[in-house]
């Protein structure tokens, strides 16, 4: 909040709750922070089910989790077909990425896009001004390495992104937290694990990039902070 001004007074924030450790941690921390009332903000959660992809979370567990936090949970179901992205739904910031990834027919992108579309629609229905996603610092660093390796550009998912075609901002409040800390917290809290059976899980380069990054950290334990400073210096963490 202090470094990137992600949460401010009178924010109405919709949290994407996939059911994984990152989103559960995000929702619990934000629900706890909201009780302090400085800043004053409201939190709701959305879980999106993809009916044609078997990638499941026990929704009764998510409902109980939200009830215990005093957070309202919305559950929506959608689907996608390979090659499906409606141009009218694409913001100017994402046009090039959509065209490139549609050509490559990446199911992971299409699945993610349809989930995001449900979030954008519900956020506007509820009058939310921000959407919070559970990406942690490792996610942002790995994305920067993927873009550098495969796209020839130094870029990442920003900690704060202001949408140009709708009155919404995307925020990533876990952006300064290493994944290892979230794993430890999830074990301490006893989070229930997802049932993951996605047929496209092995089609991504992200696992290869993670191995590359692990090797970088073995060479230099400070690699995380060097890459993060580079992203900050290049103004890649805030996109207005």
């Amino acid at each position: 909040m202090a470094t990137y001004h992600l949460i401010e007074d009178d924010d109405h924030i919709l949290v994407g709750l996939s059911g994984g450790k990152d989103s559960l941690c995000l929702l619990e921390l934000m629900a706890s922070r909201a009780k302090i009332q400085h800043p004053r903000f409201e939190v709701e959660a959305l879980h999106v089910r993809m009916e044609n992809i078997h990638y499941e979370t026990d929704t009764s567990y998510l409902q109980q989790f939200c009830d215990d936090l005093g957070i309202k949970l919305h559950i929506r179901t959608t689907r996608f077909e390979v090659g499906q992205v409606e141009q009218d739904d694409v913001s100017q910031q994402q046009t090039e990425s959509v065209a490139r990834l549609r050509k490559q027919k990446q199911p992971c992108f299409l699945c993610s896009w349809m989930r995001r579309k449900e979030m954008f629609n519900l956020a506007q229905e509820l009058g939310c001004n921000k959407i919070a996603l559970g990406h942690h610092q490792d996610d942002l660093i790995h994305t920067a390495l993927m873009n550098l390796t495969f796209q020839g550009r130094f870029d990442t998912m920003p900690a704060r992104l202001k949408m140009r075609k709708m009155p919404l901002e995307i925020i990533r409040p876990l952006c300064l937290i290493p994944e290892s800390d979230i794993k430890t917290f999830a074990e301490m809290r006893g989070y229930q694990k997802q049932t993951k059976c996605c047929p496209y899980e092995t089609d991504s380069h992200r696992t290869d990039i993670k191995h590359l990054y692990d090797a970088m950290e073995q060479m230099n334990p400070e690699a995380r902070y060097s890459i993060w400073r580079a992203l900050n210096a290049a103004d890649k963490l805030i996109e207005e």
Side-chain angles (χ1 to χ4, degrees):
M1 289 186 291
T3 303
Y4 301 115
H5 307 289
L6 301 188
I7 303 174
E8 299 172 312
D9 279 331
D10 302 321
D11 279 346
H12 188 178
I13 304 173
L14 181 63
V15 175
L17 185 63
S18 68
K21 69 182 189 314
D22 304 329
S23 65
L24 291 171
C25 176
L26 172 63
L27 186 62
E28 181 171 354
L29 294 180
M30 291 191 66
S32 298
R33 191 65 179 81
K35 294 178 181 178
I36 298 175
Q37 297 188 352
H38 182 71
R40 300 180 307 276
F41 63 95
E42 181 180 355
V43 178
E44 299 188 49
L46 168 65
H47 176 68
V48 180
R49 298 181 65 90
M50 192 63 62
E51 65 179 17
N52 59 326
I53 297 293
H54 186 58
Y55 190 97
E56 295 183 0
T57 296
D58 182 355
T59 51
S60 63
Y61 171 74
L62 295 184
Q63 186 64 66
Q64 186 61 56
F65 187 85
C66 290
D67 289 346
D68 291 344
L69 295 175
I71 299 296
K72 184 174 182 179
L73 173 65
H74 305 267
I75 298 176
R76 290 196 170 184
T77 301
T78 187
R79 62 178 292 114
F80 76 93
E81 303 297 338
V82 173
Q84 175 188 3
V85 173
E86 300 175 14
Q87 190 63 36
D88 290 345
D89 295 327
V90 179
S91 71
Q92 182 178 346
Q93 294 149 300
Q94 296 170 307
T95 301
E96 292 182 4
S97 296
V98 168
R100 180 173 60 253
L101 291 170
R102 181 198 287 139
K103 183 178 180 180
Q104 296 174 6
K105 296 184 178 180
Q106 296 226 10
C108 294
F109 170 80
L110 296 171
C111 180
S112 174
W113 175 254
M114 296 309 293
R115 292 175 189 271
R116 296 284 183 91
K117 181 179 177 180
E118 291 296 324
M119 291 200 72
F120 293 151
N121 289 341
L122 180 61
Q124 293 180 94
E125 289 175 20
L126 297 175
C128 297
N129 65 313
K130 292 180 180 177
I131 291 174
L133 302 177
H135 298 115
H136 46 67
Q137 190 175 55
D138 293 63
D139 287 328
L140 272 64
I141 290 174
H142 294 169
T143 298
L145 293 175
M146 286 186 68
N147 287 333
L148 190 62
T149 303
F150 296 104
Q151 304 298 335
R153 58 190 175 89
F154 186 59
D155 202 0
T156 190
M157 302 179 289
R160 190 179 82 227
L161 169 65
K162 186 175 182 179
M163 305 302 293
R164 297 178 185 173
K165 292 194 174 182
M166 57 187 75
L168 287 171
E169 289 186 9
I170 294 177
I171 60 173
R172 295 179 169 91
L174 302 183
C175 65
L176 292 174
I177 303 181
E179 183 180 20
S180 58
D181 286 357
I182 297 176
K183 285 182 177 179
T184 300
F185 185 75
E187 291 170 359
M188 292 172 58
R189 303 296 289 161
Y191 290 162
Q192 178 175 304
K193 293 185 178 181
Q194 288 176 298
T195 302
K196 294 187 178 182
C197 299
C198 176
Y200 301 109
E201 280 185 307
T202 60
D203 291 346
S204 172
H205 290 297
R206 190 165 286 272
T207 300
D208 296 331
I209 289 295
K210 184 181 184 302
H211 293 327
L212 173 63
Y213 176 67
D214 290 342
M216 293 172 65
E217 281 201 312
Q218 289 180 6
M219 289 188 293
N220 175 20
E222 301 295 315
R224 168 186 307 274
Y225 307 106
S226 295
I227 297 172
W228 197 258
R229 282 196 299 270
L231 290 169
N232 261 319
D235 294 325
K236 298 301 183 180
L237 295 174
I238 299 293
E239 188 170 338
E240 299 289 352

